[in-house]
Amino acid sequence: MFKSKISPSTLNYLILITVIVAAGISQGLLLPVLSIFLEQQGVSPGLNGLNAAALYIGSFAMTLIAERLLGVLGFKKLIVGGLILVMIPLILFPAWPDIKIWFVLRIIVGIGDSALHYAAQLWVLLVTTPEKRGRYISLYGMSYGLGFSIGPLGIQLLAFGDAVPFLVLFAAMAAVLLLVLFKLPDTKPEKAENTHLPERRFRSSFTWAWYALLPALLYGYMEAGMNSNFPVYGLRIGYETSEIAALLPFIGIGGLFLQLPLGMLSDRYGRKKILMLAGVGGGIAFMLVPIAGTHFWLTLMLLLIAGGLVGSFFSLGLAYAADILPKVLLPAANVVASFHFTIGSIMGPNLGGQLINWLSPGSMFIMLGLMYLIFGVTGLLFRRNGEEKFVLK
């Protein structure tokens, strides 16, 4: 009788992929659904964005202690704790539809989401070899993109009741929690003999790899800003809720198409070149969205292209950091990347909401596009300030 055998390392990787798909679904669903609720209640875009940013305040708080917690608890326990913290608010959101309570619940979700992301992505980085790091971290990013794309489809479940999307998501994450509890090994990261100036490891990782760590900020800004502000943008320019629900997933779908090709190209031609080209192309695509207006298919194509080009920014940035940093600095670099992601995620909904409120709905896309364009051009400065410094070390 033929039995297919899966190595323990492959099984662990597949479980981590499942965890990240679930995390992507939760973020892809919660941000637009809650934003729609608040917009329908007459909450201003600025206050709506501020409430959405609570999730990333929680994420920021976890970032400050994630490295230490991982050393004490290990990968499995930190992931389990993160899943539980994300699940509990899912029951409470529909039970207490109050903007102040939602602010606190979003903070809790942010803490849990940051914990499981930090543990999962660091585990993947530590076990992959440099020559295959681009494709494996891209598969990791694709998994998040898959969940991120599926999440907004949950808006359609609102037709069956306001609580239904939350309950469905809770059931899915409960299944993932059981998988982690029973199948994922309980391991901890290795402790390095030489801590390489622990007081300055965060500064050192940023000094040597600042260009590789900035994509996390841009990705956080884009992800949170689009999920929180695009529903408001769509409603303001005349889209129906069903059209918004159909358009929003295509940012993530574009990432699904291009994550692996971009990762493989970065293995072959260098990650900095791919990040620069993707930043310029994605920035131009975002800046063209307001010109499309309410032309559904044109907007869809622009979001597909933009999402495809910048959807790999977080994962490719981490892979690039792993290429140019010593292994002992990777946990610290991961914390810096998570910190950048959180800052970007707080900026996205707030700045985007204020731009919609004070300038025009389309101004949120102009700002987003400019940020990616500037990043792409800035790559020309990094070789002298980053890579050569590390080579001389």
Side-chain angles (χ1 to χ4, degrees), residues 29-30 33-34 37 87 89-97 102 154-171:
L29 173 64
L30 286 178
V33 166
L34 295 177
F37 282 161
M87 289 169 61
L90 294 177
I91 300 297
L92 302 179
F93 275 121
W96 283 288
W102 281 7
I155 295 173
Q156 306 288 0
L157 295 174
L158 290 172
F160 302 99
D162 289 350
V164 174
F166 302 99
L167 296 177
V168 171
L169 180 56
F170 179 89

Side-chain angles (χ1 to χ4, degrees), residues 323-337:
D323 290 341
I324 60 179
L325 289 174
K327 208 167 188 178
V328 70
L329 285 182
L330 278 184
N334 206 288
V335 170
V336 175

Side-chain angles (χ1 to χ4, degrees), residues 45-242:
L47 188 57
N48 199 328
L50 179 62
N51 194 262
L55 186 144
Y56 302 103
I57 294 173
S59 181
F60 173 75
M62 173 53 67
T63 297
L64 298 177
I65 59 173
E67 186 184 19
R68 185 172 299 177
L69 273 180
L70 182 62
V72 173
L73 300 176
F75 290 105
K76 178 176 179 176
K77 290 186 178 69
L78 190 56
I79 291 173
V80 167
L83 286 169
I84 292 173
L85 287 175
V86 172
M87 289 169 61
I88 292 173
L90 294 177
I91 300 297
L92 302 179
F93 275 121
W96 283 288
D98 181 271
I99 189 170
K100 295 178 182 177
I101 294 176
W102 281 7
F103 188 87
V104 176
L105 294 178
R106 280 174 150 174
I107 290 177
I108 296 172
V109 172
I111 292 172
D113 190 72
S114 179
L116 63 91
H117 266 292
Y118 179 80
Q121 69 198 19
L122 181 58
W123 199 343
V124 171
L125 281 174
L126 289 175
V127 300
T128 52
T129 58
E131 62 271 13
K132 294 184 178 180
R133 185 170 288 137
R135 69 190 67 184
Y136 277 103
I137 199 68
S138 293
L139 286 171
Y140 175 94
M142 282 177 65
S143 303
Y144 182 79
L146 175 63
F148 189 73
S149 302
I150 294 172
L153 298 177
I155 295 173
Q156 306 288 0
L157 295 174
L158 290 172
F160 302 99
D162 289 350
V164 174
F166 302 99
L167 296 177
V168 171
L169 180 56
F170 179 89
M173 299 202 74
V176 174
L177 176 62
L178 292 175
L179 180 64
V180 170
L181 284 171
F182 290 107
K183 293 296 183 179
L184 199 64
D186 195 1
T187 61
K188 293 183 180 180
E190 295 181 7
K191 291 184 179 180
E193 294 288 332
N194 177 12
T195 57
H196 189 75
L197 298 176
E199 300 85 2
R200 292 189 285 177
R201 62 190 184 279
F202 299 110
R203 185 188 305 171
S204 296
S205 63
F206 181 78
T207 300
W208 287 338
W210 60 268
Y211 193 73
L213 297 173
L214 285 179
L217 186 146
L218 291 173
Y219 185 80
Y221 184 98
M222 183 275 295
E223 180 200 77
M226 288 299 297
N227 272 279
S228 298
N229 295 324
F230 184 76
V232 179
Y233 165 84
L235 291 172
R236 291 289 176 93
I237 68 169
Y239 277 124
E240 299 293 331
T241 303
S242 59

Side-chain angles (χ1 to χ4, degrees), residues 341-389:
F341 175 81
T342 301
I343 295 298
S345 300
I346 293 172
M347 288 172 56
N350 283 286
L351 182 55
Q354 295 299 334
L355 288 170
I356 290 173
N357 202 32
W358 294 104
L359 295 179
S360 68
S363 59
M364 61 169 282
F365 284 104
I366 302 300
M367 176 62 71
L368 184 59
L370 282 174
M371 291 174 71
Y372 277 103
L373 282 172
I374 292 170
F375 171 81
V377 175
T378 304
L380 298 172
L381 305 176
F382 182 63
R383 179 180 298 276
R384 182 179 63 255
N385 295 334
E387 291 167 345
E388 290 181 2
K389 182 180 288 186

